[in-house]
Amino acid sequence: MNREDILYLALRAGARILESGAEAYRVEDTMNRILLSYGIKDAQSWVTPTGIIVSGVDENGHSVTRLRRIPSLKVDLEKISLINALSRDITVSGLTPEEFSRELDLILNKKPYSLTMDLLSSALVAGSFTLLFGGGASEAFTAAVTGPAILLTGMVVRALKLSSFFQNAFGGMTAVLLAMLSMYLGIVPEINNIITGSIMLLVPGISMTNAIRDTFQGDYLSGVTRAAEALVTASGIAFGTALGFYIGRIF
């Protein structure tokens, strides 16, 4: 591989873990490890939640720069861990660029969890949080039904190419309407714990955590951007739940 190919290789790895929810400093560290291990001089990278710029000096002394925009975020902590470990295996196992590229392809092509597993997980999480917040068995059961409904609603909204604000708004509205319906049918005595437990699926925990960690690492632009992302997500949830209460009371 020539120097430009190695630069592109590092950019692929960095873009994938950023898309998966990694912090800015972790993305920069991963790319710099790859570049420096394969002989790229003066390796530099700059990461924001929506884009990456990486540069280095090739064998002829010319500066090479690559840019990649990150259009969306889909949390996948397993891929972050695997790519992170692979970047460290370069020095430990002596991987060549070609071997690293093949291993990276295997990670990137790794199949995600099935829809069935996602639905079961969302049911378990929503039901468990409802119990944690003091709900009873009937409330936990209702939340376990609401969780998969929120997941499916988000999939439909994403298919319609709507923004994350509307994805969270429709998710919050789904949680409220299903909870109110269960109370209307006499399944549960009250709905507060159901709604709280269900919308925990939407809470932007990754964004809030990364905002704090990036800020403490000195990546203030990334930290502020992540905080703004978390604020928009929370606003969408609040708007959706309020709209759900309004529609529920009408009917």
Side-chain angles (χ1 to χ4, degrees), residues 33 37 86-95:
R33 282 176 181 272
S37 297
L86 182 62
S87 68
R88 285 160 173 74
D89 281 345
I90 296 174
T91 54
V92 176
S93 304
L95 292 175

Side-chain angles (χ1 to χ4, degrees), residues 114-234:
S114 65
L115 177 60
T116 301
M117 180 61 71
D118 287 340
L119 293 173
L120 289 174
S121 298
S122 62
L124 179 62
V125 169
S128 299
F129 270 114
T130 300
L131 290 174
L132 182 65
F133 292 135
S138 62
E139 294 166 294
F141 173 78
T142 302
V145 175
T146 304
I150 293 175
L151 179 66
L152 293 174
T153 300
M155 294 175 62
V156 172
V157 175
R158 282 194 296 273
L160 295 175
K161 307 295 184 183
L162 297 180
S163 69
S164 60
F165 176 88
F166 291 103
Q167 293 175 28
N168 290 290
F170 278 104
M173 185 174 65
T174 299
V176 172
L177 291 177
L178 289 179
M180 294 184 76
L181 177 62
S182 66
M183 187 173 67
Y184 176 76
L185 295 175
I187 300 174
V188 296
E190 61 95 20
I191 62 175
N192 292 336
N193 293 324
I194 299 172
I195 296 172
T196 306
S198 299
I199 64 175
M200 288 301 293
L201 293 168
L202 305 171
V203 172
I206 294 292
S207 296
M208 291 189 293
T209 302
N210 287 352
I212 296 171
R213 296 192 67 175
D214 283 339
T215 300
F216 285 164
Q217 288 289 330
D219 295 313
Y220 299 115
L221 177 61
S222 180
V224 171
T225 304
R226 293 289 192 192
E229 178 186 357
L231 179 62
V232 171
T233 301

Side-chain angles (χ1 to χ4, degrees), residues 65-81:
T65 303
R66 290 288 179 270
L67 169 68
R68 173 74 63 91
R69 176 168 172 77
I70 308 300
S72 61
L73 173 69
K74 184 177 181 181
V75 176
D76 191 335
L77 300 182
E78 182 183 22
K79 281 191 171 60
I80 296 175
S81 176

